[in-house]
Amino acid sequence: MANGFETEDDDDRGLISDRIRNALTDEIAAGTLAAGAALDEQQLADRFGASRTPVREALRQLAAGGLVELRARRGGVVARMTPERIMDMFETVAEIEAVCVRLATYRMTPLERSRLIELHEFSRPIVESGDVDAYDSFNRQFHETIYHATHNGFLAEQAIAIRNRLNAFRRTQLRQGERLSRSRDEHEAIMQAIAEGDGEMASRRMRAHMLNAATSLSRFIEANKPA
Amino acid sequence: MANGFETEDDDDRGLISDRIRNALTDEIAAGTLAAGAALDEQQLADRFGASRTPVREALRQLAAGGLVELRARRGGVVARMTPERIMDMFETVAEIEAVCVRLATYRMTPLERSRLIELHEFSRPIVESGDVDAYDSFNRQFHETIYHATHNGFLAEQAIAIRNRLNAFRRTQLRQGERLSRSRDEHEAIMQAIAEGDGEMASRRMRAHMLNAATSLSRFIEANKPA
DNA sequence: ATGTCAATTATTGGATACATAACACCTTCG
DNA sequence: CGAAGGTGTTATGTATCCAATAATTGACAT
């Protein structure tokens, strides 16, 4: 891809507690660890061939990130996500993204603008190929570029953190090819508002864009829900 | 105060790690622990009459909250806050508050609306008395009432978390009596927009309100900065 | 037979001991 | 005299052990 972005998955080496945290994050994201599942410290320690100490630190970090709920002296469980809460999270992401794109519209440098345009153009062949994984990767870059263009490092961090947190819970990628072209059309509309320097318009379109993705996913979840 | 809100400062009992975390949070907020100060685990353990285990857990939690920076095998330091970063945090809070009040305007129940009006009226004698602590307490309730009125639990949590995180760094309360009446006037304007059902207007006024508080504080910090 | 209370058990919270990596200082060689 | 390498010290990462608490189960009384 040749654009300075790295996958940053420094797994399987370094701190054991970090390895455990990453592994658990993946398993929660993949759904291997179902929501509400009890997380026995000794059991996890055995599974990872470590002692309880790093397991506990991993659980604390996951709890801080919201993926795990800890109750004092009653152990941890994978955070239980109600459909309402998931929708709340999506709405929050949508609103934050809307804020970001508004600020970015007013503050982005010409370089950042051309970078964004370049990215957007780059997505056209991806949509045509229907490569969902590639589009997912592009999409992340597109949105993160906007975060950074706010020139507000803290806000960008928050946006990324919340987005990742939500990502961990969407166990099923969107496999609907149609969604890709709709997504790109919505990006197009956002790009146009940015080009016109209309931050408010860009903001409204971004909010709609995110909520479209949310309802689309929500419908999918509803159709495949277990009970 | 007779309004169901509690101070929730359940300190000095319960989990030791929580006590340590709260204590460190307070000390960082008060400036007793200067930014960049090294946090020796054994030293802290001795100071709190505990072992390193709960100290480590406290440090992890603080790191997750952004108050402490941890580097692998190189210990932790109190997060170094540049003025730019503080302004970024203020702006982020302002934007999130703006989102909250817009959603709240469209979604709040009559009960929540009357609760907010009641709170606002209650602040008049506080401003006249010039009791800064009392106003600070009221102010928190005012804003948190708005968070909850969004009927988006996740967003409310995020707003409170970020607000607390910022609070930890404003080591000096605003001691300017004049600011109180200005703050209340701004609340008044926000209330009016809410009453008219104009979420966008309420949003813009809230943003201005928060940024006013920010610049006011920033000026104060600038005037009293150490070096 | 059912409800309540107490004892036991299992699991988490905390303490201590040990391993390992990083930093500093000293020695030695160029 | 300066730089580089090694060694020693200090602090973090991990393991194991002990204590406290909550859940569960069984017994006894109503």
Side-chain angles (χ1 to χ4, degrees), chain A residues 30 32 53 58 70 82 87 91 101 103 127 139 175-176 194 216:
Chain A
T32 311
T53 309
L70 290 179
T82 66
M87 280 310 296
E91 181 174 72
V101 77
L103 294 178
V127 171
N139 197 39
R175 292 293 170 196
Q176 320 173 34
I194 292 175
S216 166

Side-chain angles (χ1 to χ4, degrees), chain B residues 5-29:
Chain B
F5 280 70
E6 289 297 334
T7 45
E8 85 207 11
D9 271 288
D10 282 75
D11 228 329
D12 90 78
R13 76 182 200 137
L15 271 55
I16 296 178
S17 62
D18 285 353
R19 274 170 35 196
I20 297 176
R21 176 175 51 76
N22 289 334
L24 289 179
T25 301
D26 290 345
E27 293 187 18
I28 292 173

Side-chain angles (χ1 to χ4, degrees), chain B residues 22-91:
Chain B
N22 289 334
L24 289 179
T25 301
D26 290 345
E27 293 187 18
I28 292 173
T32 311
L33 281 168
L39 297 166
D40 186 289
E41 293 179 0
Q42 187 59 53
Q43 186 179 320
L44 289 171
D46 295 343
R47 226 163 65 66
F48 288 102
S51 77
R52 277 179 52 219
T53 309
V55 170
R56 287 174 63 88
E57 300 202 349
L59 289 181
R60 304 301 160 151
Q61 289 184 264
L62 292 172
L67 267 68
V68 164
E69 288 172 14
L70 290 179
R71 290 180 303 173
R73 298 192 180 276
R74 297 176 75 182
V77 296
V78 177
R80 215 176 280 275
M81 301 294 288
T82 66
E84 291 76 27
R85 189 164 179 80
I86 290 178
M87 280 310 296
D88 280 0
M89 290 177 73
F90 266 112
E91 180 174 70

Side-chain angles (χ1 to χ4, degrees), chain A residues 39-54:
Chain A
L39 297 167
D40 187 288
E41 292 178 0
Q42 186 59 54
Q43 185 178 319
L44 288 172
D46 295 344
R47 225 162 66 66
F48 288 102
S51 78
R52 275 181 51 217
T53 309

Side-chain angles (χ1 to χ4, degrees), chain A residues 1 5 12 58 61 75 111 123 132 168 173 179 198 205 212 216:
Chain A
M1 211 160 263
F5 281 70
D12 89 79
Q61 290 184 264
L111 187 66
S123 74
V132 181
Q173 302 269 6
R179 174 80 197 118
D198 190 341
R205 287 178 177 169
N212 277 342
S216 166

Side-chain angles (χ1 to χ4, degrees), chain A residues 85-113:
Chain A
R85 189 164 180 81
I86 290 178
M87 280 310 296
D88 281 0
M89 289 177 73
F90 266 112
E91 181 174 72
T92 303
V93 171
E95 293 292 346
I96 288 179
E97 296 254 356
V99 165
C100 285
V101 77
R102 176 168 50 76
L103 294 178
T105 299
Y106 298 136
R107 296 178 185 174
M108 62 172 45
T109 65
L111 187 66
E112 287 165 341
R113 180 163 324 195

